[in-house]
Amino acid sequence: MRLRWRKDSEFDEEIQAHLDLETQANLGRGMPAEEARAAALRKFGNTTRVKERAREADPLFWLGTIFRDLRHGLRSLARNPGFAAVAVLSLGLGIGANCAIFSFVDGLLLRPLDVPRPGDVVLVNASSPQYRFGSFSYAEYSTYRDQNRTLAGLLTQEENAFAIQSDGAQARNVYGKLISGNFFDVLQIRPSLGRTFRPEDDSPATKEIAVVISDECWQDKFHSDARAVGAQIKLNAQPATVIGILPHGFRGPGFLPPEVYATLAATPRLFAGNALLTDPKARELRLLGRLKRGASVRQAQTEFAGISQRVERVFPKADRLRTATVLPELTGRLQEDPDNLQSVTVNLIVAAIVLLIACTNVANLLLGRAAARVKEMTIRQSVGAGRGRLIAQLMTESAALALLGAGAGLLLAQVAIKLIASVRIAADIPGGFPARMDLRVVFYGLAASAVGVILFGLWPAIRATRADLVSPTKDAAPSRSRVPLRNAVVTVQTALAAMLLICASLFLKSFFLARRADPGFRVDNVLTASFDPSLVGYSEERTRAFYDNLRTRAAAIPGVREVTMGSHLPMGITSQWTSVSQMGTPTVEPMFVMYDCVEPGYFTTMATTIIEGRAFGDRDRAGAPGVAIVNRELARRWWPDVGVIGKRIQFGVGKRATVVEVVGIARDGKYQAATDLPAPYIYLPYPQQFRSSMTLFVHTAGDPLSVAPVLRQELQSIGPDVPAYIHTMRETFDEHGLLPSRLHAQIVGAMGMIGLALAVAGLYAVAAFAVARRTREIGIRMALGASSVVVLKGVLADGVKLAAVGGVLGAAGALALTRYLREFLDQVSPQDPIAFWGVSILMLAVALAACWIPARRASRVDPAIILRYE
């Protein structure tokens, strides 16, 4: 069948001409006008319906129809640029917000590994009654690697900080991994330059340390020079050779992308005294494998469960009740980090609400547009076009609108993703969020636009084709039934926006309260410098001498008031945990708590109050009876009704466990994040509990950054090979301690503002439509004596009513939603009255603003002109 391409306007004019001729003939026969028109519609419809159905049976007809409808939809949008701009911008905001949030969530948790066939990669986890997700010792890894038959390869890795130095410059910290020699072979990663590890590189007999570096490290440290392959560097003060450069963008398993990789065989030389390769209790290795062709996860799980039983017989004390569990890598990643999964789920739900608001906004616009197309739809139905055919045409036009919205959304998402990727986390090894625009984000945006077509296009299409076959052809006014429907749509839109704004206000209030709250330590006028001399081979004696020298020189710097040291940087990216138990109370379960090894002057310098007992002093030196200070929360949990001072607790487990006496209680603080709930914490005196990794806290009289250059000079003179991370305490607090609270406030706040803007547009559209529809009524009322003020108030009152109903519904929805946000809020109740009342007042204010222009237009109607026109 030959396709006939015609303009829709020509098609409609031809139909109208036939109807007019038949109507005139019926009038000539003496029929009343209304009956003549109805008879013409019936007769002409009967003669064309058969032809229409025959055409619809041909597949080529539908192909041509889709292209014709799409072209018609684009021409229609071009003829209505105002409508098109508002609709595309609304969809663009909704789709762009969803794409940006998805990119953030995808990079944080959902994105598959950047390796060939990532679905074949599995995570091998050690589960036990105490820990659902555990690690393995090197002996266990070797056993599983050699005895399994379902995996093409099993690799292992351990994350570490390294000190890297070249050309005599100051050493710096880098994030890296100790890996098995088959790491890149199992992941099927080939270097862009050089080579990866060979079996001999992972042998204890290897004399030279080989390292592979990331593309980012190559660009930063070697300025993209190809001669970097073969270059000599110092890694943890040990000579090493760069043998390969990894492909651009490869991040490997884990959140932070490593800059350097070394083999496990180099562990004894890189980390003196580390028994990772020999101690069966040193379980620090994570295992990943790749399934053989045809093998399944279930088969691998069955096999590894059997190997676990044999491993338990070989290491009965170390491996009792431990079982290897095999999971798809992505599944294991999601199950291992439920807190992050819950957090990103909240973000995705918030973004989905914004898309829903955008879709209701466009649906409202389409409902108004449908009123103008009732006559067109009625005529087409009367001449034989099926209702399904007309709905398909309108849905195709909606799809064109959605595609334009998706394009705008992806452009907006590109900007937002760059902003997200630019966020940096303050840490010893700075990192950021791996958000990026890729095909996954594009497909997500297209999927969101497809969902949007159904959400905003289907119901207006159904309404537009539900028409009477007589009255619309007589140029009657649009049906009044559409007005309540449009009001209902904008009410839902306003409710969703109010719900988002209430959640956003709760997060914002939580963020500002957390920023102003006292975290339990001094934040301002403190410079911090973190060190780990053991990375470059310092012994305990040499490390203590290094710290004594550094402390003395730092205290002599002009502008420095006090200097102290501790092993834990509050709000830093790392923390120290150990098991503690009460002595003489076997019925009390041990507790896993954070701890800090501090110098005697720590509590004064960091303004951490001792509320009972005493602080550490000179008598708490090495060799003296062990002492400890606990915080109020630990005292409350273990000794709520008895005295705490003098109680004895066991710190640590195994051969390294020590018994200490509680000599003081410190006030509670925030140790990891500003929104943390009170948690148990223990302080130990540094002279009794040596730690190589320490942080220097310098309390200054003025800006702490003014002291940083002098401190760097002192460090260069006494330990150029020791890497240091120097930051202010305020920067650490703001950039890392407040990071979760700030991200939630920014993301939900941005979504709330987008939702508010869309709600304002929806209210304006409804008010403008109502004024245009009631122009004649308003003119008559003003001719009968109604003042412009009365008209103005009436239009504003209609908009305020919609906003008020939407605000009430939004508040009810927020009450239901905020129950699940309790753990993300600090010092703020999910039913905070300020948030609810504040948003209610805001919604009424924006309703007045949105309706003001249509109301002013209505109040300026000239009744004389309206009545003369009528």
Side-chain angles (χ1 to χ4, degrees):
M1 177 178 177
R2 180 176 177 271
L3 295 177
R4 184 182 180 192
W5 298 92
R6 294 186 298 177
K7 294 183 179 179
D8 291 270
S9 58
E10 295 176 359
F11 187 75
D12 297 338
E13 290 169 3
E14 181 180 335
I15 295 173
Q16 187 69 47
H18 282 287
L19 285 172
D20 290 342
L21 289 174
E22 187 65 27
T23 302
Q24 292 297 326
N26 291 336
L27 289 173
R29 299 186 186 100
M31 291 185 181
E34 187 171 315
E35 184 179 345
R37 190 66 174 180
L41 288 171
R42 288 194 297 272
K43 179 178 180 180
F44 192 71
N46 290 334
T47 59
T48 58
R49 192 167 287 112
V50 175
K51 294 180 181 180
E52 185 72 18
R53 290 177 179 173
R55 293 173 63 201
E56 292 178 359
D58 193 326
L60 290 178
F61 167 77
W62 288 106
L63 180 62
T65 297
I66 291 174
F67 281 106
R68 186 174 68 248
D69 290 347
L70 186 61
R71 186 175 62 173
H72 173 72
L74 293 174
R75 283 205 315 268
S76 178
L77 292 176
R79 288 195 299 267
N80 298 273
F83 164 82
V86 173
V88 170
L89 180 59
S90 298
L91 288 175
L93 288 172
I95 294 173
N98 274 264
C99 288
I101 296 301
F102 173 76
S103 176
F104 168 72
V105 170
D106 193 41
L108 190 67
L109 205 59
L110 302 180
R111 186 180 300 151
L113 295 178
D114 294 325
V115 301
R117 304 199 323 274
D120 291 344
V121 179
V122 295
L123 171 68
V124 183
N125 165 63
S127 59
S128 65
Q130 291 80 21
Y131 304 105
R132 186 181 177 189
F133 289 92
S135 302
F136 295 87
S137 67
Y138 186 78
E140 292 171 329
Y141 159 68
S142 301
T143 304
Y144 287 111
R145 178 195 60 198
D146 298 338
Q147 295 187 14
N148 87 84
R149 297 294 178 267
T150 54
L151 300 184
L154 182 68
L155 65 86
T156 185
Q157 60 178 0
E158 186 206 11
E159 301 174 348
N160 269 292
F162 293 87
I164 189 170
Q165 186 181 23
S166 63
D167 303 327
Q170 177 73 46
R172 68 180 182 92
N173 282 327
V174 296
Y175 170 68
K177 288 185 177 181
L178 292 170
I179 60 175
S180 55
N182 64 346
F183 182 91
F184 298 108
D185 293 334
V186 173
L187 295 180
Q188 298 181 359
I189 297 298
R190 300 292 177 263
S192 59
L193 287 176
R195 63 177 179 86
T196 55
F197 298 118
R198 296 170 180 164
E200 57 268 24
D201 296 320
D202 197 23
S203 169
T206 302
K207 297 181 180 179
E208 188 177 80
I209 298 176
V211 298
V212 174
I213 62 175
S214 68
D215 180 78
E216 290 75 13
C217 181
W218 178 51
Q219 295 180 29
D220 178 51
K221 199 162 191 62
F222 296 95
H223 310 291
S224 302
D225 189 348
R227 291 174 296 180
V229 176
Q232 296 293 314
I233 62 173
K234 282 189 175 183
L235 194 66
N236 289 6
Q238 300 296 315
T241 303
V242 178
I243 63 171
I245 315 296
L246 293 174
H248 176 72
F250 176 73
R251 300 179 59 89
F255 175 67
L256 293 175
E259 290 190 57
V260 61
Y261 296 83
T263 61
L264 285 166
T267 303
R269 280 172 288 174
L270 292 174
F271 300 94
N274 190 309
L276 177 64
L277 301 181
T278 56
D279 186 356
K281 294 184 180 180
R283 298 193 183 100
E284 302 175 17
L285 301 177
R286 306 305 307 273
L287 307 188
L288 291 172
R290 182 179 287 275
L291 293 170
K292 287 182 177 179
R293 297 279 187 177
S296 67
V297 174
R298 179 174 296 181
Q299 291 172 335
Q301 172 59 55
T302 302
E303 182 183 45
F304 271 73
I307 300 175
S308 296
Q309 297 177 359
R310 295 195 290 272
V311 170
E312 185 174 352
R313 289 194 294 269
V314 176
F315 308 105
K317 294 183 179 180
D319 289 274
R320 181 180 296 276
L321 302 178
R322 280 168 52 87
T323 304
T325 305
V326 181
L327 297 168
E329 190 275 333
L330 181 56
T331 302
R333 193 194 317 165
L334 295 176
Q335 293 181 5
E336 192 173 7
D337 200 350
D339 291 339
N340 264 345
L341 181 60
Q342 185 178 9
S343 178
V344 300
T345 300
V346 170
N347 291 329
L348 288 175
I349 291 174
V350 168
I353 293 175
V354 171
L355 179 62
L356 186 58
I357 295 173
C359 289
T360 56
N361 197 26
V362 178
N364 217 345
L365 295 173
L366 288 176
L367 283 171
R369 193 162 179 257
R373 302 184 66 179
V374 171
K375 183 176 181 180
E376 172 195 346
M377 295 295 108
T378 303
I379 293 174
R380 297 192 62 181
Q381 283 183 284
S382 68
V383 298
R387 191 179 182 193
R389 166 71 188 86
L390 297 179
I391 291 176
Q393 174 193 338
L394 295 176
M395 291 298 289
T396 304
E397 295 176 5
S398 297
L401 189 63
L403 287 175
L404 293 174
L410 290 173
L411 290 176
L412 294 174
Q414 177 70 24
V415 177
I417 288 171
K418 288 183 178 179
L419 292 176
I420 294 173
S422 66
V423 175
R424 283 292 171 266
I425 302 173
D428 291 354
I429 303 167
F433 297 106
R436 69 187 185 196
M437 176 65 75
D438 55 16
L439 287 178
R440 288 171 59 84
V441 177
V442 173
F443 288 146
Y444 186 86
L446 294 177
S449 64
V451 172
V453 169
I454 298 174
L455 290 177
F456 71 75
L458 185 58
W459 184 245
I462 293 174
R463 295 287 301 180
T465 56
R466 187 194 300 168
D468 180 70
L469 294 181
V470 177
S471 60
T473 62
K474 300 188 297 180
D475 296 324
S479 172
R480 293 178 63 89
S481 64
R482 286 182 175 80
V483 177
L485 178 61
R486 296 195 70 193
N487 290 346
V489 171
V490 80
T491 300
V492 171
Q493 184 182 39
T494 306
L496 292 172
M499 186 168 62
L500 271 185
L501 285 172
I502 289 172
C503 294
S505 63
L506 291 174
F507 280 120
L508 285 170
K509 184 175 181 180
S510 176
F511 169 73
F512 285 116
L513 288 178
R515 195 177 191 279
R516 291 200 303 266
D518 184 359
F521 56 86
R522 194 188 305 275
V523 173
D524 295 316
N525 290 31
V526 175
L527 185 71
T528 67
S530 300
F531 310 90
D532 189 356
S534 68
L535 291 179
V536 291
Y538 277 36
S539 63
E540 177 179 342
E541 182 181 359
R542 188 179 178 188
T543 299
R544 288 185 183 273
F546 169 80
Y547 284 142
D548 289 341
N549 193 1
L550 179 65
R551 189 190 312 106
T552 301
R553 294 199 180 197
I557 297 175
V560 172
R561 289 180 172 175
E562 300 168 292
V563 176
T564 191
M565 300 191 74
S567 62
H568 176 221
L569 175 62
M571 306 286 182
I573 198 171
T574 60
S575 56
Q576 303 167 125
W577 295 78
T578 190
S579 175
V580 295
S581 56
Q582 293 189 42
M583 297 298 296
T585 317
T587 58
V588 178
E589 290 291 328
M591 189 183 300
F592 206 57
V593 302
M594 286 182 286
Y595 72 94
D596 192 2
C597 299
V598 301
E599 290 189 328
Y602 178 87
F603 298 98
T604 302
T605 303
M606 295 303 292
T608 299
T609 307
I610 301 296
I611 59 178
E612 185 177 342
R614 66 175 179 87
F616 298 137
D618 294 337
R619 54 179 160 172
D620 303 314
R621 56 187 178 276
V627 295
I629 293 173
V630 301
N631 71 339
R632 186 199 296 269
E633 178 64 18
L634 179 56
R636 184 190 63 80
R637 293 192 186 186
W638 266 357
W639 305 287
D641 302 318
V642 298
V644 177
I645 306 303
K647 295 294 184 181
R648 300 174 74 240
I649 58 177
Q650 178 175 298
F651 174 83
V653 295
K655 296 180 179 179
R656 296 185 178 181
T658 59
V659 177
V660 296
E661 178 184 338
V662 177
V663 297
I665 302 177
R667 65 169 174 164
D668 293 333
K670 307 289 187 178
Y671 308 109
Q672 290 183 294
T675 54
D676 284 347
L677 296 175
Y681 199 82
I682 293 179
Y683 298 92
L684 301 170
Y686 171 70
Q688 295 182 352
Q689 299 286 342
F690 169 77
R691 292 294 182 274
S692 175
S693 177
M694 297 289 285
T695 296
L696 181 74
F697 299 91
V698 181
H699 178 207
T700 62
D703 182 6
L705 287 177
S706 63
V707 178
V710 184
L711 183 62
R712 291 184 186 276
Q713 294 175 3
E714 298 292 348
L715 178 63
Q716 179 70 22
S717 64
I718 63 175
D721 54 343
V722 178
Y725 176 74
I726 299 178
H727 225 53
T728 67
M729 194 70 248
R730 170 57 66 183
E731 288 173 326
T732 301
F733 180 81
D734 288 347
E735 296 176 18
H736 186 259
L738 290 172
L739 181 63
S741 180
R742 185 174 71 250
L743 282 177
H744 283 123
Q746 290 175 339
I747 291 174
V748 181
M751 298 300 104
M753 294 308 297
I754 293 174
L756 178 63
L758 293 174
V760 169
L763 283 169
Y764 173 82
V766 167
F769 176 79
V771 168
R773 178 180 154 276
R774 296 173 57 194
T775 300
R776 180 172 177 268
E777 172 196 339
I778 293 172
I780 294 175
R781 290 180 60 193
M782 295 184 71
L784 295 175
S787 66
S788 59
V789 175
V790 172
V791 173
L792 182 70
K793 289 181 178 179
V795 176
L796 291 177
D798 291 340
V800 170
K801 288 178 184 177
L802 294 179
V805 174
V808 171
L809 295 176
L815 280 174
L817 181 62
T818 51
R819 291 185 301 169
Y820 303 98
L821 304 179
R822 186 182 301 273
E823 64 182 89
F824 300 106
L825 302 174
D826 180 54
Q827 306 178 61
V828 177
S829 169
Q831 294 81 35
D832 183 68
I834 296 179
F836 281 81
W837 281 107
V839 170
S840 300
I841 295 172
L842 176 63
M843 295 305 298
L844 293 178
V846 298
L848 288 172
C851 298
W852 178 257
I853 295 178
R856 288 281 293 173
R857 188 183 303 132
S859 67
R860 294 179 178 180
V861 168
D862 189 340
I865 296 176
I866 296 298
L867 295 177
R868 189 181 305 120
Y869 174 77
E870 293 295 329

